[in-house]
Amino acid sequence: MTATLIDGKAFAAGLRERIAGHTAAMKERGITPGLAVVLVGEDPASQVYVRSKGKQTRETGMNSFEHRLPTDTPEAELLALIEQLNEDPSVNGILVQLPLPGHMDEAAVINAIRPEKDVDGFHILNVGRLATGQKSMVPCTPLGSLMLLRDHLGSLSGKSAVVIGRSNIVGKPMAQLLLRDSATVTIAHSRTQNLPDLCRGADILVAAVGRPHFVKGDWIKPGATVIDVGINRTDDGLVGDVDFAAASQVAGAITPVPGGVGPMTIACLLANTLTATARANGLPDPEGLTP
Ligand code: NAD
């Protein structure tokens, strides 16, 4: 392997330590940040995520409120809970774990969250604010990926970036953040033609596809920085969207899976909760936690 390993696990641990420090300082002023996580149904992956979110929230010194609702909960009941959390001053962040059961309108549920408490950054107002360069809540996985890129590269200005994937959760907000840092951004997706050639021009390559080892080693520009967002469960365990063994012979730097972007996501959720708490109390944004 010739590429530098971008150690998201270590970076996330450092980030959580800084967040814990900020939280302790807030508590001395009588403010305890609180994050409410709502899980509807029994999806096993969601249960794992919700458990680790709660654990890490408490470890950072924040209050964690967990709400579990059965799969057949009427949407109106979920909306009523969100309204109650919107009004609760001890709750600074609200996260509704996705995916929701099929009978619910995901967009309506997300848009019921008060934008200031929308720590996932999926509310239509936060999406619009990010797109227009205003202060917003920024989706956690792209925010974590941006932090790793900046830490490794410093300035992203003028760099050619290719994002593979156009989801609202990863691809689109990732592209917005790269654009905001003055990279020249291309978004690729399932209908993109000549994807390998497109990737070969990228100084920064972000893969958010959801297909194991989709990006091959010979798609990588020598020296490029590769961020692998993919989390794919296979018989060989968790693997990313990038063929790591081949790509790491060509790239300048690359995130591993696991241990790359994954741990950054929850750390950034805590960062967003802290930022939301600061804003709710008229305090400046804690340094280094927002783009
Ligand atoms: P998604 O399924 O919503 O989007 C996948 C995107 O890939 C789509 O926009 C699609 O156009 C594109 N795509 C599919 N096939 C393609 C092809 N052949 N060529 C080019 N593009 C193609 O997925 P998502 O929610 O954006 O997640 C993507 C991956 O990131 C998944 O593996 C997911 O598990 C992972 N993920 C990780 C984290 C984390 O914390 N690290 C968070 C969210 C998602």
Side-chain angles (χ1 to χ4, degrees):
M1 155 158 178
T2 52
T4 303
L5 199 69
I6 300 179
D7 188 344
K9 193 174 170 197
F11 192 98
L15 184 58
R16 286 197 302 271
E17 232 167 77
R18 278 191 284 143
I19 293 168
H22 284 298
T23 302
M26 274 195 189
K27 283 168 119 171
E28 273 173 25
R29 308 171 78 142
I31 305 163
T32 304
L35 172 64
V37 176
V38 182
L39 174 61
V40 187
E42 312 279 328
D43 182 72
S46 293
Q47 287 181 341
V48 173
Y49 290 139
V50 166
R51 216 172 306 131
S52 33
K53 282 168 187 174
K55 180 168 172 274
Q56 293 189 31
T57 304
R58 289 186 293 277
E59 281 171 1
T60 318
M62 301 182 185
N63 286 330
S64 165
F65 310 103
E66 277 180 38
H67 297 267
R68 286 164 191 270
L69 304 176
T71 311
D72 58 359
T73 302
E75 187 181 296
E77 216 170 284
L78 174 59
L79 293 174
L81 171 61
I82 291 173
E83 194 43 39
Q84 181 196 320
L85 298 171
N86 279 340
E87 295 298 328
D88 185 343
S90 67
V91 172
N92 302 101
I94 303 170
L95 180 147
V96 177
Q97 184 65 43
L98 302 178
L100 287 170
H103 67 282
M104 290 191 178
D105 177 350
E106 235 165 55
V109 169
I110 288 165
N111 291 329
I113 299 170
R114 196 175 280 174
E116 293 71 26
K117 296 190 178 189
D118 166 40
V119 281
D120 251 343
F122 298 155
H123 189 289
I124 192 85
L125 268 180
N126 283 318
V127 175
R129 284 173 180 153
L130 177 62
T132 51
Q134 299 175 56
K135 218 172 177 180
S136 65
M137 281 286 139
V138 176
C140 303
T141 301
L143 178 58
S145 302
L146 180 78
M147 286 181 183
L148 295 179
L149 279 170
R150 282 187 182 161
D151 183 60
H152 181 68
L153 289 171
S155 168
L156 311 187
S157 179
K159 300 227 181 292
S160 162
V162 171
V163 179
I164 316 178
R166 57 172 157 183
S167 72
N168 291 332
I169 294 177
V170 188
K172 280 187 214 158
M174 185 74 246
Q176 292 291 1
L177 287 172
L178 290 165
L179 189 59
R180 193 165 158 152
D181 268 22
S182 300
T184 304
V185 185
T186 306
I187 307 177
H189 48 77
S190 51
R191 305 291 172 88
T192 297
Q193 297 186 359
N194 301 328
L195 183 60
D197 274 346
L198 190 70
C199 293
R200 284 182 197 115
D203 303 313
I204 296 168
L205 183 62
V206 180
V209 188
R211 292 179 177 218
H213 295 168
F214 177 74
V215 175
K216 309 301 175 206
D218 65 358
W219 297 15
I220 313 280
K221 177 176 176 175
T225 305
V226 179
I227 302 289
D228 190 350
V229 180
I231 298 179
N232 306 294
R233 286 175 180 80
T234 71
D235 293 343
D236 302 330
L238 279 193
V239 302
D241 289 345
V242 178
D243 179 352
F244 182 87
S248 58
Q249 300 300 322
V250 190
I254 186 167
T255 58
V257 178
V261 175
M264 293 300 291
T265 298
I266 299 185
C268 285
L269 173 66
L270 303 176
N272 279 349
T273 304
L274 193 73
T275 300
T277 308
R279 290 177 184 171
N281 287 280
L283 301 170
D285 284 358
E287 196 140 337
L289 304 186
T290 47

